[in-house]
Amino acid sequence: MAKKISFLKGYFASLIEPKFVPTALKVAVVVGSILFIINHGRALLQGNMGSDRWISAGITYLVPYFVNIHGQYISVHRHK
């Protein structure tokens, strides 16, 4: 259990790790934009973007960021 908690603490700390952030931001912008267009493009063009939809759009960019950071963290963690 302590090992899992340590791993999670390390992952959450890595969300702002300077060596991981630049790549994660690039991935979030590219993948997030593609997902935004797929999931919200029509609503944006039709002017139907309510507050709930904007929250969902924000999450659309956060998920690729978190996944990329996780991948980078796992890669470094496994090589220790």
Side-chain angles (χ1 to χ4, degrees):
M1 183 69 161
K3 192 173 182 178
K4 287 183 181 182
I5 291 172
S6 174
F7 178 84
L8 285 174
K9 284 183 181 180
Y11 169 71
F12 287 120
S14 72
L15 292 172
I16 56 170
E17 174 65 42
K19 67 181 178 182
F20 296 155
V21 170
T23 301
L25 285 175
K26 290 174 192 171
V27 169
V29 168
V30 172
V31 175
S33 295
I34 292 167
L35 292 172
F36 178 87
I37 291 167
I38 291 169
N39 295 319
H40 307 288
R42 179 178 285 178
L44 181 66
L45 292 175
Q46 294 175 346
N48 295 331
M49 292 292 290
S51 60
D52 289 348
R53 196 105 195 202
W54 281 112
I55 291 169
S56 178
I59 294 169
T60 298
Y61 286 91
L62 286 177
V63 170
Y65 180 85
F66 290 153
V67 170
N68 184 272
I69 292 286
H70 180 266
Q72 291 183 75
Y73 179 69
I74 289 290
S75 179
V76 169
H77 191 266
R78 285 187 179 157
H79 287 72
K80 284 186 177 183

